[in-house]
Amino acid sequence: MKYLMTITYDGKNYNGFQRQNDKPTIQSEVEHALEILLKEKIEIIGSGRTDAKVSAYKQTINFETDKQIDKDKFIYSMNGILQNDIKVLDIIQSNIHARFTEKKKTYLYKMYISEFAHPLYKDRLTISKNIDIKAMKKFLKMIKGTHDFIGFKSAGSEVNSTVRTIYNAKLIKTNSKLDFYITGNGFLYKMVRNIVGTMLKVGEYKLDLKELKQTIFKTYKSTYTAPSEYLYLYDIKYLKK
Amino acid sequence: MKYLMTITYDGKNYNGFQRQNDKPTIQSEVEHALEILLKEKIEIIGSGRTDAKVSAYKQTINFETDKQIDKDKFIYSMNGILQNDIKVLDIIQSNIHARFTEKKKTYLYKMYISEFAHPLYKDRLTISKNIDIKAMKKFLKMIKGTHDFIGFKSAGSEVNSTVRTIYNAKLIKTNSKLDFYITGNGFLYKMVRNIVGTMLKVGEYKLDLKELKQTIFKTYKSTYTAPSEYLYLYDIKYLKK
């Protein structure tokens, strides 16, 4: 039977999602817990790989087993076996492929507007009070739609196509908290962090919007990848069942 | 000159506000930073003492010095000297007494409704899905106003009167987040945590509301002090200038 499991994790102490030798990763922790519970070797496939320190409100994962799984018992047992940093939210029997089934994926990047790193907002990137949020919003309008995002891809992973569709990209300011949500059909390696980096440079007047508009999907190359620890995989919605 | 300084802190790694020998406290850290900056021994008076692990979005503090303080420079320098866990938000010259001037003080207690401790809400107390929020709100109606809160005071500090006024007490639910705000003219030792503890027992049906109504300001004695690390001093408003 093929299962689709939803998990959440605080990635601060992990070397990313993908299994690596000798380093703690989300994949190795989850596979280890599944092996203890199901008493067989299990390999999982995630909806995508989150980088070192990236967290997830929701991450979806496939695995296969011949064993019948009782949802409530399974969640309860897995959450007893797993570390405090990783928990199972849901599990269903499903033919959805976590990675390849068409989906809408949303990331959240957390920022805080302050002249110093605020003690009670350590999970947010500190942003200057002088930042131009209107300019940042203009940049976000530019990236919506289907474009070649090669300028926002960091070296390090090979893909067939660098064209992606951004369904939505918005900034929500609540007092000094600034939340950036971006929804797309998929993201290139470090693409969200390069979009955040470019957005912040626009907000700090280090990039001219008019000039950027000419080059963005042609010769532009992002030079600032925003730090990973403030990035959260926020939601995944599969478009077929 | 007498100054009123506003600070914020993450109290998780501190043994409370009040200075103690050999243990890190907010008072000793702030006094130490003031001494470095002003080059004289400074004693501070807080609006009140927060317990070990309690944090503050806003805490007000008095100190005296003959030195003239330039607000922007002072804040910038203090925040450079202080640890990451404590920062200065504001400073004004003022005759307000941080502790004795009449005020409205607000505490926030953070909870999260979940069957397990959620990795991304470690700063919140985990509350069962079965909790009766309506019953908890009925209890909050009972405590509003001026009453003798002796049943909500933990042993360990002597006060002249155990009568306090609660201006407001409310629960705000946002998805699974549950925030409890309580505003009063002052709080007895561990009073907020005993109110939260009683409220949770009411929500779990371990205390009968009708019975509690008969005894609450008479023979009732709180037996559950909610954990300190989810408590935040949220706001302080002085009623005179």
Side-chain angles (χ1 to χ4, degrees):
Chain A
M1 263 103 48
K2 213 173 136 188
Y3 288 94
L4 185 75
M5 178 163 81
T6 308
I7 64 171
T8 178
Y9 48 86
D10 178 350
K12 303 272 178 308
N13 298 317
Y14 293 88
N15 225 56
F17 184 83
Q18 200 185 7
R19 200 192 313 122
Q20 290 173 47
N21 289 334
D22 302 331
K23 284 183 179 168
T25 68
I26 305 300
Q27 182 174 7
S28 54
E29 290 294 327
V30 172
E31 287 178 347
H32 181 68
L34 284 169
E35 277 178 45
I36 291 174
L37 185 62
L38 300 176
K39 294 176 184 65
E40 60 178 311
K41 204 158 175 60
I42 301 277
E43 186 145 3
I44 65 171
I45 298 166
S47 76
R49 298 159 187 176
T50 52
D51 287 342
K53 294 188 183 177
V54 175
S55 297
Y57 285 93
K58 273 190 188 176
Q59 164 74 292
T60 44
I61 277 166
N62 280 136
F63 68 89
E64 287 188 51
T65 177
D66 291 335
K67 299 205 174 67
Q68 193 66 42
I69 285 178
D70 174 283
K71 180 179 150 170
D72 290 344
K73 269 193 201 168
F74 175 87
I75 293 175
Y76 183 83
S77 304
M78 278 294 284
N79 287 342
I81 297 166
L82 282 163
Q83 311 286 325
N84 289 339
D85 282 337
I86 310 174
K87 294 291 167 198
V88 175
L89 297 174
D90 196 16
I91 185 160
I92 53 166
Q93 214 181 308
S94 169
N95 282 318
I96 287 172
H97 190 290
R99 187 147 176 216
F100 295 121
T101 299
E102 211 185 328
K103 59 187 169 292
K104 288 190 175 186
K105 209 167 180 174
T106 302
Y107 277 93
L108 163 60
Y109 199 88
K110 294 187 186 182
M111 295 162 280
Y112 192 80
I113 299 162
S114 171
E115 295 310 308
F116 54 86
H118 195 294
L120 296 175
Y121 298 99
K122 286 173 191 151
D123 60 341
R124 292 175 173 271
L125 180 71
T126 305
I127 301 290
S128 159
K129 280 181 185 171
N130 302 319
I131 203 136
D132 184 345
I133 292 178
K134 270 190 190 168
M136 287 156 71
K137 286 184 176 175
K138 280 181 191 163
F139 162 72
L140 294 182
K141 271 193 183 165
M142 284 163 51
I143 62 163
K144 279 184 210 173
T146 302
H147 307 286
D148 185 347
F149 283 94
I150 191 159
F152 296 89
K153 174 187 170 293
S154 288
S157 82
E158 289 311 306
V159 282
N160 293 327
S161 164
T162 50
V163 174
R164 293 289 183 278
T165 299
I166 302 299
Y167 299 112
N168 204 359
K170 58 183 176 183
L171 276 169
I172 296 175
K173 191 173 171 298
T174 315
N175 301 317
S176 295
K177 284 192 269 189
L178 188 63
D179 287 325
F180 171 59
Y181 292 91
I182 185 163
T183 304
N185 64 348
F187 295 93
L188 301 165
Y189 187 53
K190 297 190 182 171
M191 175 171 153
V192 178
R193 290 162 59 196
N194 282 313
I195 286 174
V196 173
T198 300
M199 176 178 77
L200 292 174
K201 282 199 157 186
V202 166
E204 291 163 0
Y205 310 119
K206 286 174 189 162
L207 272 177
D208 182 71
L209 263 180
K210 278 181 193 165
E211 242 173 78
L212 186 60
K213 199 163 188 170
Q214 302 306 314
T215 61
I216 183 167
F217 301 118
K218 295 167 192 164
T219 56
Y220 176 71
K221 184 77 200 137
S222 164
T223 55
Y224 175 40
T225 307
S228 61
E229 61 258 53
Y230 312 110
L231 180 63
Y232 297 76
L233 179 49
Y234 188 73
D235 198 16
I236 299 164
K237 280 197 171 69
Y238 291 96
L239 301 181
K240 304 167 194 167
K241 285 274 164 182
Chain B
M1 264 102 51
K2 213 174 136 187
Y3 288 94
L4 185 75
M5 179 164 81
T6 308
I7 64 170
T8 178
Y9 48 85
D10 178 351
K12 304 273 177 309
N13 298 316
Y14 294 88
N15 226 55
F17 185 82
Q18 201 186 6
R19 201 193 312 122
Q20 291 174 46
N21 289 334
D22 302 330
K23 284 182 179 169
T25 68
I26 305 299
Q27 182 174 8
S28 54
E29 291 293 327
V30 172
E31 287 179 346
H32 181 68
L34 284 169
E35 277 178 45
I36 291 174
L37 185 62
L38 300 175
K39 294 175 184 63
E40 61 178 310
K41 204 157 173 63
I42 302 276
E43 187 145 4
I44 65 172
I45 299 167
S47 76
R49 299 160 187 175
T50 52
D51 287 342
K53 295 188 183 176
V54 175
S55 297
Y57 284 93
K58 274 189 188 176
Q59 164 75 290
T60 45
I61 277 166
N62 281 137
F63 68 89
E64 287 187 50
T65 177
D66 291 336
K67 300 206 173 68
Q68 194 66 43
I69 285 177
D70 174 283
K71 180 180 151 170
D72 290 344
K73 269 192 202 167
F74 175 87
I75 294 175
Y76 184 82
S77 304
M78 277 294 283
N79 287 342
I81 297 165
L82 282 163
Q83 310 286 327
N84 288 339
D85 282 336
I86 309 174
K87 294 291 166 198
V88 175
L89 297 174
D90 197 16
I91 184 159
I92 53 166
Q93 214 181 307
S94 169
N95 283 318
I96 286 173
H97 191 292
R99 186 144 174 217
F100 295 121
T101 300
E102 212 184 325
K103 59 187 169 290
K104 288 190 177 184
K105 209 167 181 173
T106 302
Y107 277 94
L108 163 60
Y109 199 90
K110 294 187 185 181
M111 294 163 281
Y112 191 80
I113 299 163
S114 171
E115 295 309 308
F116 53 87
H118 195 294
L120 296 175
Y121 297 100
K122 285 172 191 152
D123 60 340
R124 293 175 172 271
L125 180 70
T126 305
I127 301 290
S128 159
K129 280 182 185 170
N130 301 318
I131 204 136
D132 184 345
I133 292 177
K134 271 189 189 167
M136 287 156 72
K137 286 184 175 175
K138 281 181 189 162
F139 163 71
L140 295 182
K141 271 193 183 164
M142 285 163 52
I143 63 164
K144 279 184 210 173
T146 303
H147 307 284
D148 184 348
F149 282 95
I150 191 160
F152 296 89
K153 174 187 170 292
S154 288
S157 84
E158 289 312 306
V159 283
N160 294 327
S161 164
T162 49
V163 173
R164 293 289 182 277
T165 299
I166 301 300
Y167 300 111
N168 203 359
K170 61 183 176 183
L171 276 170
I172 296 174
K173 191 173 172 297
T174 315
N175 301 318
S176 294
K177 285 194 268 190
L178 188 63
D179 287 325
F180 171 60
Y181 292 91
I182 185 163
T183 304
N185 64 348
F187 295 93
L188 301 165
Y189 186 53
K190 297 191 181 170
M191 175 171 153
V192 178
R193 289 163 58 195
N194 281 313
I195 286 174
V196 173
T198 301
M199 175 177 77
L200 291 175
K201 282 197 158 186
V202 166
E204 291 163 358
Y205 309 119
K206 285 173 187 163
L207 271 176
D208 182 72
L209 264 179
K210 278 181 193 164
E211 242 172 77
L212 185 62
K213 199 162 189 171
Q214 301 306 314
T215 62
I216 183 165
F217 301 117
K218 295 167 193 162
T219 54
Y220 176 72
K221 185 75 199 134
S222 164
T223 54
Y224 175 40
T225 308
S228 62
E229 63 258 53
Y230 312 111
L231 180 64
Y232 297 76
L233 179 50
Y234 188 72
D235 199 14
I236 299 164
K237 281 198 172 67
Y238 291 96
L239 301 180
K240 305 164 192 168
K241 284 274 162 178

